[in-house]
Amino acid sequence: MNKIPVYMMPGLAASPVIFERIRLPEDQFEVHWLSWKIPLNGESLSAYAKRMCSEIKHENPVLIGVSFGGVLVQEMAQFINLRKLIIISSVKTKDEIPLRMKLVRSSKIYRLVPTRLLQQIEVLQRFAFNQALKMRFKLYEKYLSMRNKEYLEWAIEQMLCWNRTQVDENVVHIHGDADEVFPIENIKSCIAVSGGSHIMIVLRYRWFNEHLPKIILDA
């Protein structure tokens, strides 16, 4: 039996290591991790998505994207034929983006975000005043690997300014009902994961290991 190719795209600034505990049956699926590239000068999200498609080496793959990676794979779907398109902890249109992000977008205050702080996580760890904060920084250090300033500024702007208004009917949307970044109240239709936070791909990996194979195989 030919294995089904599954490509996984992490969230904004994240390393594909976020998928390290996702285990799909090896006799059915062939998993490939995708990584962020540095954007070209003035590159649009659509052009970036087309360039990312060069990393897809199989016909009719499954494409899975988390958070901003979910936005990207929806853009990639315009250029390649897919067996299935799955987004996790993400949005399908600009209407699902929460009001606070829309206000940041309209005020353009995102241009003042100190992206250099994300480049200095190891330094910030020294100032963590409790164990919970220290653990959070440890997670950031492990999973947020793309800290290039140009990339961070580009990615934040592309996420906030995404203008899609029409839902891609082929999208399968998996979303946690405790997502603090994209609250589920704004999500129109999805497979809801009880207690799932925005980083449930890491914290709720057992749910994905149990349910993802069936979601992929469902016609």
Side-chain angles (χ1 to χ4, degrees):
M1 180 180 114
N2 290 332
K3 295 182 182 181
I4 298 170
V6 179
Y7 286 80
M8 297 182 172
M9 187 75 216
L12 194 154
S15 161
V17 175
I18 66 169
F19 302 117
E20 66 181 348
R21 293 183 175 178
I22 302 300
R23 298 280 187 268
L24 302 182
E26 294 182 2
D27 60 329
Q28 292 178 289
F29 304 99
E30 181 180 333
V31 176
H32 304 269
W33 293 352
L34 296 171
S35 298
W36 292 103
K37 299 175 180 287
I38 305 298
L40 304 177
N41 187 37
E43 190 170 28
S44 68
L45 182 59
S46 180
Y48 185 95
K50 188 173 184 179
R51 189 158 62 94
M52 280 297 299
C53 287
S54 66
E55 300 298 316
I56 308 297
K57 308 301 183 184
H58 299 81
E59 293 184 358
N60 299 312
V62 175
L63 201 51
I64 299 176
V66 176
S67 193
F68 179 50
V71 169
L72 177 65
V73 297
Q74 290 175 81
E75 294 294 315
M76 291 171 67
Q78 299 177 74
F79 304 108
I80 52 176
N81 294 320
L82 298 175
R83 178 190 178 105
K84 185 150 288 188
L85 177 61
I86 300 172
I87 64 172
I88 299 168
S89 307
S90 189
V91 294
K92 298 182 291 296
T93 70
K94 67 176 185 178
D95 297 326
E96 294 184 337
I97 295 174
L99 178 60
R100 64 179 182 275
M101 287 190 181
K102 293 176 181 176
L103 293 174
V104 169
R105 166 183 172 160
S106 61
S107 68
K108 299 193 186 305
I109 198 170
Y110 60 86
R111 294 178 178 174
L112 303 178
V113 172
T115 53
R116 66 183 180 277
L117 292 180
L118 281 175
Q119 297 173 281
Q120 301 171 349
I121 291 173
E122 294 83 358
V123 174
L124 291 174
Q125 282 189 61
R126 301 174 192 169
F127 300 95
F129 51 82
N130 61 42
Q131 194 59 36
L133 201 54
K134 287 178 181 177
M135 289 301 296
R136 180 62 64 93
F137 279 131
K138 280 290 185 187
L139 283 174
Y140 289 162
E141 183 182 3
K142 179 175 182 179
Y143 294 120
L144 297 183
S145 63
M146 176 57 90
R147 303 184 204 171
N148 174 274
K149 184 175 184 293
E150 286 71 26
Y151 163 81
L152 290 170
E153 292 175 351
W154 174 86
I156 291 168
E157 181 171 23
Q158 299 305 317
M159 180 68 250
L160 291 173
C161 298
W162 194 46
N163 267 324
R164 176 166 295 195
T165 57
Q166 194 73 29
V167 174
D168 184 335
E169 297 302 327
N170 295 315
V171 171
V172 176
H173 190 169
I174 305 172
H175 209 85
D177 66 6
D179 193 303
E180 64 280 11
V181 176
F182 299 123
I184 200 167
E185 307 88 74
N186 300 320
I187 305 301
K188 300 299 185 290
S189 179
C190 69
I191 298 169
V193 178
S194 178
S197 69
H198 192 66
I199 58 172
M200 65 180 180
I201 193 67
V202 174
L203 301 181
R204 298 293 302 279
Y205 64 90
R206 290 187 180 88
W207 186 97
F208 288 96
N209 289 343
E210 179 182 352
H211 294 94
L212 204 50
K214 185 177 186 301
I215 291 171
I216 292 172
L217 293 172
D218 277 351

